[in-house]
C-alpha cells in the first residue's frame, strides 16, 4: 500500500507541475483580451500580442531535445527541483510590467516579452520530462492512469487562467498561479524519489533497488524493470543520444511518437485553447466570451479526468480514433457556423452553435485525444530512446503549435475562421487514419513488449 501512495504522491507532484507549465501556455487567453484594449495601462500591438502568445511555444522547439540529454545526465527529479523555482519567479515577474514606473521608462512591453521567454525556456525543459518521470516512477498497475491524467492536469492549467481572468487583472493572475499551483508542486517533488529506471540506467544499482522497493508492488515487477533498465546504456551527450536513432526500429518508434504529437496539433487544440476568447467574441454567442471560455474549459477538465480513468483500461488506438472523429465533426460544425456568418446569413438564432461545437470538441479532445496522445507518445517508445524520442516528439509538437499560433491572424485573413476550422476537421480524420494503420497498441504492454514490437515491424 505504501508503494501505491508514493507513486500517487509523485504522480500528483508531476501533475501539478504540468498544470503550472500549461498555465504558461494558457495565460495569453487570460491576458491578451485585456492587454489589447486601447485603454489598458500596458498596451500590446497586434504584432506584440502574437509574439506574447507564441514565444513560449517557440522556446519549446529546441528545449526538449536539450532536456533529453540533460535528463540522462542529471536525472529528472534534479531538473524539476532546479527548473520549478525558475518557472515560479519568471511567472511572477510578468506582473512587474504593470508598475507605473515601468511604463514611464518604456520597459513594460520588454518585461512582458522577456518574462515569456524565461517561462518558455523553463517549460521547454520541464514538459519533456514530466510525463517520462511519472511513467518511470509508476509501476505497471498505475502507469496508464497516472500518465493518462496528464491531459487533466494540463486542462486544469488552462481552466485556472480562464477562470481567474473573469475576476482579476492580468498582473494579479500572474501572481496567483505560482502561489496556488507551482509552489505546491515544488513541495511534492521535494518529498518524491528519483526515477528508479534512471538510477538503474546511470549505473546506480543499489539506489535504484531501494527506490524500486518503495514504488513497486512485487518482486517480479522490480526484477523486470531492473533488467530492462540495466540493459540500456545511458547516453551522455545529445549527439550520442541522436546516434542511437540510426537503428531502424528506434527510428520508426520515434517517428510514431512525433506523428502523434504533430497530428494532435492539427486537431486545432493550441488555436482553440489560446484564442478561445477571441473565437467566442467573433461568434457573438450572447454569453460573455470569458465565461464561455470557462464553460469550455470545464468541459475539457471534466472529460480529461474521466478519460484518465478510462484510459487505464481502454485500448489506446480505439480510444484515440473515436476522439479524432469527435474533434473532426466538432471542427466541421464550427466551420459551418463561421461560413454562414462570413457569407452574410443571419446567424442570430445559431449563437448556441459555436458553444456546442467547442464543447463537443473538448469532449473528444480531452475525453480521448489529449490524454491518449501524451500516453501513447511515451508508451510507443522503447526504453533506449524514450528520453530523446519524447524530446523530439515535444519539439515537433512545439514547432507545429508555434507556427499555428504565431500565424493564426494571417491564416484567418487568408482562409477565414471557417477555413481554419475545416482544416482542423481534416487534420482530425487524418490523425484517425494514421493511428489505425501505423500506431501500435500499447495497453498492458511491458517495456520488453514495446521493444520486441519495433524490432519485429
Amino acid at each position: 500500500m505504501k508503494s501505491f501512495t508514493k507513486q500517487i504522491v509523485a504522480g500528483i507532484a508531476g501533475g501539478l507541475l504540468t498544470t503550472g507549465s500549461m498555465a504558461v501556455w494558457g495565460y495569453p487567453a487570460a491576458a491578451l483580451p485585456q492587454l489589447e484594449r486601447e485603454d489598458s495601462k500596458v498596451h500590446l500591438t497586434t504584432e506584440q500580442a502574437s509574439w506574447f502568445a507564441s514565444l513560449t511555444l517557440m522556446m519549446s522547439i529546441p528545449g526538449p531535445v536539450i532536456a533529453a540529454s540533460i535528463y540522462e545526465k542529471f536525472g529528472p527529479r534534479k531538473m524539476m527541483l532546479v527548473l520549478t523555482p525558475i518557472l515560479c519567479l519568471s511567472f511572477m515577474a510578468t506582473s512587474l510590467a504593470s508598475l507605473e514606473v515601468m511604463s514611464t521608462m518604456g520597459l513594460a512591453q520588454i518585461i512582458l516579452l522577456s518574462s515569456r521567454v524565461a517561462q518558455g525556456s523553463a517549460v521547454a525543459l520541464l514538459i519533456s520530462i514530466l510525463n517520462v518521470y511519472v511513467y518511470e516512477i509508476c509501476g505497471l498497475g498505475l502507469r496508464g492512469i497516472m500518465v493518462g491524467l496528464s491531459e487533466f492536469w494540463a486542462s486544469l492549467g488552462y481552466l485556472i487562467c480562464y477562470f481567474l481572468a473573469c475576476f482579476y487583472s492580468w498582473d494579479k493572475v500572474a501572481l496567483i498561479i505560482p502561489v496556488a499551483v507551482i509552489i505546491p508542486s515544488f513541495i511534492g517533488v521535494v518529498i518524491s524519489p528519483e526515477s528508479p529506471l534512471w538510477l538503474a540506467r546511470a549505473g546506480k544499482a543499489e539506489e535504484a533497488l531501494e527506490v524500486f522497493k518503495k514504488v513497486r508492488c512485487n518482486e517480479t515487477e522490480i526484477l523486470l524493470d531492473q533488467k530492462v533498465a540495466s540493459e540500456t546504456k545511458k547516453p551522455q551527450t545529445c549527439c550520442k543520444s541522436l546516434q542511437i536513432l540510426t537503428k531502424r526500429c528506434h527510428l520508426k518508434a520515434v517517428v510514431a511518437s512525433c506523428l502523434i504529437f504533430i497530428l494532435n496539433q492539427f486537431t486545432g487544440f493550441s488555436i482553440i485553447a489560446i484564442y478561445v476568447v477571441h473565437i467566442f467574441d467573433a461568434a457573438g454567442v450572447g454569453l460573455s466570451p470569458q465565461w464561455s471560455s470557462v464553460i469550455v474549459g470545464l468541459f475539457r477538465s471534466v472529460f480529461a479526468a474521466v478519460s484518465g480513468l478510462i484510459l487505464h483500461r481502454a485500448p489506446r488506438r480505439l480510444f484515440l480514433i473515436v476522439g479524432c472523429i469527435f474533434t473532426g465533426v466538432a471542427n466541421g460544425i464550427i466551420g459551418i457556423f463561421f461560413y454562414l456568418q462570413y457569407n452574410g446569413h443571419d446567424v442570430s438564432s445559431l449563437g448556441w452553435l459555436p458553444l456546442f461545437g467547442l464543447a463537443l470538441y473538448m469532449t473528444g479532445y480531452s475525453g480521448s485525444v489529449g490524454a491518449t496522445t501524451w500516453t501513447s507518445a511515451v508508451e510507443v517508445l522503447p526504453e533506449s530512446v524514450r528520453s530523446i524520442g519524447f524530446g523530439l516528439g515535444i519539439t515537433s509538437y512545439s514547432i507545429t503549435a508555434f507556427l499555428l499560433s504565431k500565424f493564426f491572424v494571417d491564416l484567418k485573413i487568408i482562409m477565414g475562421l471557417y477555413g481554419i476550422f475545416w482544416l482542423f476537421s481534416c487534420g482530425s480524420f487524418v490523425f484517425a487514419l494514421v493511428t489505425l494503420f501505423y500506431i501500435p497498441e500499447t495497453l498492458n504492454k511491458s517495456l520488453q513488449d514495446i521493444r520486441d514490437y519495433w524490432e519485429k515491424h
Side-chain angles (χ1 to χ4, degrees), residues 135-208:
Y135 180 89
E136 294 189 342
I137 204 74
C138 293
L140 189 59
L142 276 178
R143 191 172 289 154
I145 190 170
M146 294 307 289
V147 176
L149 283 172
S150 60
E151 171 58 21
F152 166 74
W153 294 113
S155 69
L156 198 59
Y158 285 91
L159 177 59
I160 289 171
C161 290
Y162 300 157
F163 182 74
L164 291 176
C166 295
F167 302 98
Y168 301 103
S169 61
W170 58 270
D171 52 320
K172 288 184 173 60
V173 173
L175 293 172
I176 293 171
I177 290 174
V179 174
V181 178
I182 301 175
I183 292 176
S185 73
F186 180 76
I187 295 171
V189 174
V190 169
I191 63 176
S192 296
E194 183 57 272
S195 161
L197 290 172
W198 175 80
L199 289 170
R201 290 196 301 272
K204 302 178 181 181
E206 292 184 5
E207 293 179 53

Side-chain angles (χ1 to χ4, degrees), residues 32-45:
L32 284 181
Q34 300 176 41
L35 290 169
E36 289 185 293
R37 290 204 306 254
E38 292 295 336
D39 61 345
S40 174
K41 55 185 175 182
V42 179
H43 176 70
L44 293 182
T45 65

Side-chain angles (χ1 to χ4, degrees), residues 102-115:
M102 297 302 176
S103 296
T104 303
M105 297 173 65
L107 296 175
Q109 288 81 3
I110 294 174
I111 290 173
L112 283 176
L113 296 179
S114 298
S115 65

Side-chain angles (χ1 to χ4, degrees), residues 4 29 42 79 98 101 104 116-117 150 162 167 250 295 309 312 317 324 327 361 384 390 406 438:
F4 270 94
V42 179
M79 287 183 65
S98 66
V101 64
T104 303
R116 294 293 286 170
V117 171
S150 60
Y162 300 157
F167 302 98
H250 292 162
I295 293 172
L309 299 174
H312 181 46
R317 294 171 71 223
C324 287
T327 58
Y361 174 87
S384 54
F390 196 68
K406 177 66 179 72
Y438 187 67

Side-chain angles (χ1 to χ4, degrees), residues 97-364:
S98 66
L99 299 176
E100 187 174 344
V101 64
M102 297 302 176
S103 296
T104 303
M105 297 173 65
L107 296 175
Q109 288 81 3
I110 294 174
I111 290 173
L112 283 176
L113 296 179
S114 298
S115 65
R116 294 293 286 170
V117 171
Q119 294 162 31
S121 300
V123 171
L125 296 174
L126 278 170
I127 200 65
S128 62
I129 67 172
L130 291 174
N131 265 27
V132 177
Y133 173 72
V134 173
Y135 180 89
E136 294 189 342
I137 204 74
C138 293
L140 189 59
L142 276 178
R143 191 172 289 154
I145 190 170
M146 294 307 289
V147 176
L149 283 172
S150 60
E151 171 58 21
F152 166 74
W153 294 113
S155 69
L156 198 59
Y158 285 91
L159 177 59
I160 289 171
C161 290
Y162 300 157
F163 182 74
L164 291 176
C166 295
F167 302 98
Y168 301 103
S169 61
W170 58 270
D171 52 320
K172 288 184 173 60
V173 173
L175 293 172
I176 293 171
I177 290 174
V179 174
V181 178
I182 301 175
I183 292 176
S185 73
F186 180 76
I187 295 171
V189 174
V190 169
I191 63 176
S192 296
E194 183 57 272
S195 161
L197 290 172
W198 175 80
L199 289 170
R201 290 196 301 272
K204 302 178 181 181
E206 292 184 5
E207 293 179 53
L209 182 58
E210 287 302 312
V211 177
F212 271 127
K213 288 178 179 179
K214 294 177 182 178
V215 298
R216 293 294 184 266
C217 300
N218 57 69
E219 193 70 24
T220 302
E221 195 173 357
I222 292 174
L223 292 173
L224 181 60
D225 281 357
Q226 264 195 318
K227 178 177 180 294
V228 173
S230 62
E231 289 176 352
T232 305
K233 293 182 179 180
K234 185 186 78 161
Q236 297 296 323
T237 66
C238 186
C239 291
K240 288 183 179 179
S241 297
L242 291 170
Q243 284 175 7
I244 62 177
L245 297 182
T246 56
K247 193 173 181 180
R248 187 169 178 269
C249 61
H250 292 162
L251 183 59
K252 289 183 68 176
V254 172
V255 167
S257 185
C258 291
L259 276 175
I260 290 171
F261 276 122
I262 292 170
L263 291 172
N264 171 285
Q265 280 301 303
F266 275 98
T267 66
F269 170 68
S270 286
I271 292 296
I272 291 173
I274 294 173
Y275 292 101
V276 61
V277 176
H278 287 277
I279 293 168
F280 278 121
D281 193 42
V285 296
L287 284 174
S288 159
Q290 286 78 15
W291 280 107
S292 296
S293 66
V294 170
I295 293 172
V296 171
L298 278 172
F299 263 89
R300 183 186 174 194
S301 293
V302 169
F303 280 98
V306 172
S307 72
L309 299 174
I310 296 174
L311 195 61
H312 181 46
R313 298 185 180 276
R316 311 292 195 247
R317 294 171 71 223
L318 177 62
F319 205 44
L320 184 52
I321 289 169
V322 171
C324 287
I325 292 172
F326 267 76
T327 58
V329 171
N331 277 314
I333 290 172
I334 300 168
I336 289 171
F337 173 86
F338 283 114
Y339 180 78
L340 293 174
Q341 184 189 65
Y342 178 79
N343 283 282
H345 295 279
D346 182 9
V347 293
S348 58
S349 61
L350 298 175
W352 56 272
L353 196 58
L355 183 58
F356 169 77
L358 285 172
L360 181 64
Y361 174 87
M362 287 304 176
T363 301

